Amino acid sequence: MDTGQRESILVVEDEKKISGIVRGYLEREGYRVTTAETGEQALRLLSEAFDLVILDLMLPDMGGEEICGRLRENSDVPVIMLTAKSGEEDRIRGLGIGADDYVVKPFSPRELVARVKALLRRAGKTKKKSFSYNRGRLRMDVELHEVMLEGSQVVLTPTEFKILLSLADNSGRVLSREQLVTIVQGYDFEGYDRTIDAHVKNLRHKIEKDSREPEFIKTVYGVGYKFIGIPDAD
Ligand code: CA
């Protein structure tokens, strides 16, 4: 990167040959690489901040799903799952528990590097720190976790903040209840769809003048929710 700050990647893989090759390719691209061979080691290392995690699904002490699930409890770092299982079900499961992408073994290291770059690019885009809508009526500060409505602070729960940020980040696109559950909880949990409605209701109560004619969060019947605030020029 031209900022001089190299992005750091954690590679969790018990097969040394594979992690060695992956490390080589990533370091050649200028990334800082840390490796872990077990789930336990990975979880210990994950208390540090990484820009991306490459995670093998099959580790000697625990499954990649479990690590990913635990990681998602407090982090939205991009995760690429390495899997030897190419079954459709495993792929969907991999993404359902919060992995952002997956690569099936045997894979080409070049392809993996391309996926890493694409994912980091995507993650970089969402790193915008503050948002402002409807001529400053609604402002959000991502780092401070602060929302201001007409200049006054609105106190949101962490879940409400996550929902609002996710919707705003996907402005104009409908997010389904299932997607919001996954974003909020880090994994899909059947039967939790209706609690999303309850959170959105509370959120609207706090930021909308008239919930029946929302300015920011629109209900798309039978599908989910869409953010309709008009972004202000930066
Ligand atoms: Ca393995």
Side-chain angles (χ1 to χ4, degrees):
M1 281 183 73
D2 32 45
T3 53
Q5 180 64 48
R6 295 183 301 159
E7 286 150 311
S8 65
I9 298 176
L10 176 65
V11 178
V12 187
E13 166 64 84
D14 58 312
E15 285 167 73
K16 282 198 181 128
K17 201 177 146 204
I18 296 180
S19 66
I21 293 169
V22 170
R23 175 197 277 276
Y25 271 82
L26 291 173
E27 285 182 344
R28 222 171 303 158
E29 293 293 325
Y31 298 113
R32 267 186 297 141
V33 179
T34 305
T35 54
E37 284 170 36
T38 63
E40 201 204 342
Q41 215 184 340
L43 287 173
R44 218 176 323 123
L45 283 165
L46 280 166
S47 57
E48 293 168 36
F50 289 94
D51 296 298
L52 186 137
V53 177
I54 295 173
L55 184 58
D56 182 26
L57 190 64
M58 303 283 273
L59 293 162
D61 57 341
M62 65 180 87
E65 296 107 319
E66 190 186 339
I67 299 173
C68 200
R70 291 190 31 197
L71 175 62
R72 281 286 173 263
E73 284 168 14
N74 50 26
S75 165
D76 52 7
V77 61
V79 173
I80 297 180
M81 198 74 102
L82 296 180
T83 167
K85 304 172 185 171
S86 62
E88 199 64 47
E89 209 183 324
D90 293 310
R91 296 182 184 203
I92 292 162
R93 237 170 105 210
L95 295 174
I97 48 127
D100 301 272
D101 201 358
Y102 61 88
V103 174
V104 180
K105 290 178 186 175
F107 57 88
S108 117
R110 276 206 192 88
E111 191 201 333
L112 180 62
V113 169
R115 302 274 187 106
V116 166
K117 283 186 180 168
L119 209 47
L120 284 173
R121 218 167 25 233
R122 256 197 281 160
K125 263 193 223 155
T126 59
K127 271 188 190 151
K128 215 178 136 185
K129 288 191 182 101
S130 63
F131 298 83
S132 172
Y133 298 95
N134 297 19
R135 298 203 199 112
R137 254 177 65 70
L138 181 73
R139 292 178 200 274
M140 271 182 274
D141 188 303
V142 179
E143 283 186 338
L144 297 175
H145 262 235
E146 226 170 58
V147 174
M148 309 284 278
L149 187 70
E150 292 188 322
S152 313
Q153 196 178 340
V154 180
V155 180
L156 299 185
T157 65
T159 300
E160 288 162 3
F161 187 84
K162 260 193 196 173
I163 291 173
L164 180 60
L165 184 62
S166 310
L167 287 169
D169 222 10
N170 290 282
S171 190
R173 277 174 52 200
V174 182
L175 289 186
S176 69
R177 291 182 176 83
E178 289 78 10
Q179 280 173 313
L180 286 168
V181 171
T182 309
I183 289 165
V184 167
Q185 305 197 326
Y187 56 91
D188 201 351
F189 201 90
E190 245 178 283
Y192 270 57
D193 295 12
R194 294 299 147 193
T195 67
I196 288 294
D197 291 345
H199 288 305
V200 170
K201 195 178 163 199
N202 293 337
L203 185 53
R204 274 182 173 151
H205 191 71
K206 293 176 182 178
I207 64 167
E208 302 282 10
K209 235 188 276 171
D210 181 355
S211 292
R212 283 161 306 175
E213 275 186 62
E215 257 182 284
F216 301 110
I217 302 174
K218 190 182 166 183
T219 303
V220 180
Y221 289 100
V223 191
Y225 297 99
K226 181 163 99 172
F227 189 82
I228 51 167
I230 301 153
D232 298 325
D234 285 331

